[in-house]
Amino acid sequence: MLIDHMIKSWLRGITLKEYGFCDGAELFVLLSGVSAGIVYHRAMLRDGLGAAWLKIARRIVAIYRTHLILFMLFVAEVGFLVAWLNPPSFLEFLNLDKFSAHPFRSIWNAVLLGRDEPKFFDILPLYIVLLSLLVLTLPLIRWSRLLLGGSVLLYVAARVFSLNLGPWTDTWFFNPLAWQVIFMIGVTSPYILKARDYWRGWDWLAVLFSLFSLFESHAKHLKGHVPAALLIHFEVDKPAVHPFRLLAIVSLGWLAWRYIPATAHWLRSRWAGPLVLLGQHSLGVFASSILISVFGEAILFIHPEWISQILVQGLGTVALVAVAAAAAWNSNKNRPDGRATTVSGTGSAVKKPHLLVAEGQEIVANFNIARADVN
């Protein structure tokens, strides 16, 4: 998130978007669906549907609150950076050029999740809509294949008939009626994938499509060196989730689930600890990454040299890990049972003392996701 949000970053060449049709946005939405499906379905089974709805509502409020606070900090930070460094065309880059002309309207749009959102402010409103959709579909998780089938039909209709939620979301970069299919794949996958006998051909299809995605993502470097018929000549659009983008994230997710065991040694190493922390507290880390990346981008606009690249991206990464560590410390301190939450090798939160692994926790382990910040 930090690297992809800085267009001047040299490290953008090593992120997911450079190796296929999909990028971090699809991964974020997919894993959010996985964790939300597990946590809120478990809450429904344990405490009832009303309690699960209340838990989702609290999460929506927390995300909305984060969105508003982040917007105010973002505007203040940009104002400081423009006064200090005055990077060329910085306001236009961040889609804030209209803010100076119509500040009240821009603030009101941010409050209402409306039109002309600044750059980087499209994913949290999308997440709010997806969680609201989960409120309606949570009872249907027990019929996961039916729920996923309905989600796919809605995705197809959104693409074929250019459907959206209405004027409220017309100018959103992400069309919620299309992006919901990635979220619902995540929500339903832990239950659909409980079966153990899979056709081995799915592995090969996922590998072949991932290789095709990698090949085509570098098509611009291959023109003139390979037959033109091997290169696609259309836009793999992101706002409405082109089918190739959908197949790309599904293929990568399938291969990760099949071939990264929960007991992998590298997941239990001390080097994986910071990555696990980042995943466990994704909301705070995401919000902080926007503020840090804006600051870093302003510096790289003026000083793109290698020393600035190292300092901006190195210190930015350290800052994000510090945010995650602080969030983990705060959540441990506020636990009602007074017991610390440790980071397991699979990236899930484990209370001390260790208990037997339940079926739901095993699913979380198989997907290697951290869901501490969803609670």
Side-chain angles (χ1 to χ4, degrees), residues 297-319:
E297 185 73 344
I299 293 177
L300 295 181
F301 258 75
I302 306 298
H303 303 287
E305 301 83 7
W306 66 269
I307 187 65
S308 298
Q309 295 279 341
I310 294 175
L311 288 175
V312 165
Q313 288 156 126
L315 294 178
T317 301
V318 171

Side-chain angles (χ1 to χ4, degrees), residues 131-208:
L131 284 178
S132 301
L133 180 62
L134 185 61
V135 170
L136 301 176
T137 57
L138 188 60
L140 300 178
I141 290 183
R142 68 185 67 183
W143 300 289
S144 298
R145 288 176 173 80
L146 178 64
L147 176 58
L148 182 58
S151 175
V152 171
L153 288 177
L154 179 58
Y155 162 73
V156 172
R159 285 198 58 87
V160 172
F161 301 107
S162 300
L163 301 180
N164 210 321
L165 289 181
W168 176 48
T169 58
D170 276 346
T171 59
W172 283 16
F173 181 75
F174 298 112
N175 182 349
L177 297 186
W179 278 80
Q180 56 79 28
V181 73
I182 299 178
F183 185 76
M184 283 302 168
I185 288 172
V187 167
T188 58
S189 56
Y191 309 98
I192 292 176
L193 297 179
K194 280 184 176 180
R196 297 302 181 198
D197 53 335
Y198 301 108
W199 178 48
R200 191 58 179 261
W202 291 122
D203 295 354
W204 286 107
L205 289 176
V207 169
L208 289 174

Side-chain angles (χ1 to χ4, degrees), residues 47-61:
D47 304 318
L49 182 59
W53 280 347
L54 181 60
K55 197 169 188 178
I56 297 175
R58 288 173 176 166
R59 183 62 172 172
I60 291 174
V61 170

Side-chain angles (χ1 to χ4, degrees), residues 12-89:
R12 281 167 62 92
I14 67 171
T15 58
L16 183 61
K17 65 186 301 179
E18 295 296 324
Y19 296 92
F21 295 127
C22 61
D23 59 26
E26 285 89 352
L27 184 60
F28 179 86
V29 173
L30 178 68
L31 292 183
S32 295
V34 174
S35 57
I38 292 172
V39 172
Y40 298 125
H41 183 243
R42 184 184 299 170
M44 182 183 70
L45 296 178
R46 183 182 63 241
D47 304 318
L49 182 59
W53 280 347
L54 181 60
K55 197 169 188 178
I56 297 175
R58 288 173 176 166
R59 183 62 172 172
I60 291 174
V61 170
I63 295 171
Y64 180 65
R65 183 175 63 243
T66 299
H67 174 81
L68 295 181
I69 294 173
L70 180 61
F71 177 78
M72 294 305 175
L73 293 175
F74 175 81
V75 171
E77 179 188 27
V78 172
F80 168 76
L81 291 172
V82 169
W84 176 35
L85 297 174
N86 194 24
S89 304

Side-chain angles (χ1 to χ4, degrees), residues 21 212 216 219 223-224 226-236 242 244:
F21 295 127
F212 168 71
E216 292 293 345
K223 289 182 179 179
V226 297
L230 296 178
L231 304 178
I232 62 175
H233 300 281
F234 53 85
E235 181 184 0
V236 183
H242 190 280
F244 279 5

